[in-house]
Amino acid sequence: MMSLFSSGEFGAVEVRGTLQFTLYYDTKKEEFHVQVCRCQDLALARKNRSDPYVKTYLLPDKTTHSKRKTNVKKKTVNPVFEETLKYKIKMMELKGRTLNLSVWHHDPLRRNIFLGEVEVALAEWDWGQKDPVWHPLVPRVQLSQGSVPSRGTLMLSMKFVPAESEGHGMPVTGELHIWIREAQGLIPIKGGAVDSFIKSYILPDESRSSRQKTRVVKRTVSPTFNHTMVYDGFHVSDLNEACAEITLWEKDSLSSRQLGGMRLSTGSGQSYGQPVVWMDSTEEEINVWTTMIQHPNAWVDASLPLRTDLTTRKE
């Protein structure tokens, strides 16, 4: 296990007390609001005093981009904050995050002291809850890098063009068009901005001729690719046996690492009568693929999570 948090004097005091807060999502502004109300009965930090403040992150993003803080309240174990911390984020992405609220004693001369935390899985939050809620503070929670279910969202559009559907015998064979538009809220392995690119295959063809890539977009967690991949040679019947594997990669000077991806298919678990590990599409991915099959010559728009649980296949 590896903490996603920086080291500090976590064991300096025994965690105690409670934290009150309210969560709200503004659909018009696409903003997530965390109203930090107050704490009660916090532990004493140094010299029988505590100067507390509250810090929040939208995990698994532990970068400064995700960090928000309240003001420091001096000499109190029952601080009243009544401050609202805001995040600009789409609801679909927000539901894949965990809100971490931690309370700290501020020390300008030495390391701040951890006083406790609360974590909220936002996929399970009751958004009809309007009143402030109290949660007990608990000791530090450890997270493993492998526990991250998604590393961002990819916006794309897909279209199947049947053979000779555009007149004058064009196209000669069926074509699959994949328009990679942009990604949002990428969560790099080491934090900070990221140089990224997209790679695609149309399985079961795992050869180099099936692989297509976008250019590398540098130093951003919300890259715009605006790149269309075109695959030809398709019959309508082939779409029930094929899978569009789309992965996003983090590139550095020495190597590239896969951050996440998706597989768009019927999710049947087999291709041309043979069981295959890569027909493991989620319900969302299956819906995009089947909608495309049912509506030839029409673009199907999608925003899908870059999931980290793709079943490994040999490449």
Side-chain angles (χ1 to χ4, degrees):
M1 302 292 284
M2 174 182 177
S3 175
L4 295 183
F5 293 83
S6 57
S7 61
E9 297 180 59
F10 300 148
V13 299
E14 183 179 354
V15 172
R16 56 179 289 182
T18 55
L19 170 64
Q20 186 189 52
F21 59 90
T22 303
L23 306 185
Y24 169 74
Y25 188 78
D26 187 326
T27 54
K28 291 185 178 179
K29 294 182 179 180
E30 293 189 321
E31 282 185 347
F32 175 47
H33 295 184
V34 183
Q35 183 181 9
V36 181
C37 302
R38 63 189 68 209
C39 296
Q40 284 188 348
D41 196 27
L42 296 177
L44 292 170
R46 295 191 190 278
K47 297 181 180 179
N48 293 321
R49 66 178 283 178
S50 286
D51 298 337
Y53 69 95
V54 175
K55 179 167 58 175
T56 64
Y57 287 99
L58 284 179
L59 300 179
D61 187 356
K62 189 57 177 55
T63 67
T64 55
H65 176 75
S66 174
K67 182 169 68 175
R68 306 286 188 273
K69 293 194 296 185
T70 68
N71 292 316
V72 177
K73 301 299 178 180
K74 298 283 189 177
K75 298 181 180 179
T76 178
V77 293
N78 299 298
V80 177
F81 298 101
E82 297 298 344
E83 295 183 43
T84 300
L85 309 178
K86 299 180 180 180
Y87 292 88
K88 193 76 172 178
I89 185 172
K90 294 183 182 297
M91 174 57 88
M92 188 179 73
E93 182 184 349
L94 184 65
K95 288 183 177 180
R97 301 297 188 95
T98 295
L99 174 67
N100 175 275
L101 306 100
S102 55
V103 184
W104 298 77
H105 163 74
H106 175 68
D107 191 327
L109 300 179
R110 287 179 286 184
R111 283 187 175 180
N112 298 334
I113 296 178
F114 174 75
L115 299 178
E117 71 177 4
V118 174
E119 290 199 345
V120 180
L122 296 175
E124 303 170 4
W125 180 256
D126 178 9
W127 295 99
Q129 172 68 43
K130 304 298 182 184
D131 298 326
V133 293
W134 286 99
H135 278 261
L137 293 169
V138 298
R140 169 65 69 217
V141 173
Q142 299 288 324
L143 275 179
S144 67
Q145 292 284 358
S147 68
V148 179
S150 169
R151 288 193 173 271
T153 303
L154 181 65
M155 274 64 76
L156 73 159
S157 299
M158 303 187 72
K159 178 174 66 172
F160 176 65
V161 182
E164 302 183 358
S165 63
E166 295 185 341
H168 305 289
M170 296 298 292
V172 176
T173 61
E175 293 181 346
L176 178 62
H177 297 233
I178 306 173
W179 177 16
I180 305 295
R181 292 184 282 147
E182 61 180 316
Q184 291 185 353
L186 296 185
I187 303 171
I189 293 173
K190 294 183 178 180
V194 60
D195 297 348
S196 62
F197 67 93
I198 297 288
K199 185 191 300 184
S200 72
Y201 283 89
I202 302 299
L203 307 172
D205 187 354
E206 299 177 315
S207 67
R208 285 186 174 271
S209 61
S210 174
R211 186 181 67 190
Q212 296 192 35
K213 295 193 294 185
T214 69
R215 74 189 192 287
V216 176
V217 179
K218 296 187 175 182
R219 295 185 292 278
T220 178
V221 294
S222 296
T224 297
F225 298 103
N226 195 26
H227 181 101
T228 301
M229 290 127 168
V230 178
Y231 291 89
D232 59 12
F234 281 92
H235 297 289
V236 175
S237 59
D238 292 325
L239 297 178
N240 292 319
E241 313 297 337
C243 171
E245 181 185 80
I246 301 169
T247 50
L248 186 141
W249 295 71
E250 179 180 11
K251 183 176 178 58
D252 59 29
S253 57
L254 298 177
S255 63
S256 298
R257 292 169 294 188
Q258 182 177 306
L259 286 185
M262 59 195 65
R263 289 185 177 137
L264 299 120
S265 71
T266 61
S268 64
Q270 60 180 13
S271 175
Y272 296 104
Q274 299 297 317
V276 290
V277 298
W278 40 261
M279 276 287 203
D280 60 346
S281 302
T282 65
E283 184 176 346
E284 285 181 293
E285 294 164 351
I286 292 170
N287 182 59
V288 173
W289 189 255
T290 55
T291 301
M292 180 194 71
I293 294 174
Q294 293 165 2
H295 298 85
N297 291 310
W299 285 106
V300 177
D301 299 332
S303 296
L304 296 169
L306 290 159
R307 55 189 178 101
T308 59
D309 64 347
L310 294 184
T311 303
T312 303
R313 66 172 181 83
K314 292 183 178 180
E315 184 174 319

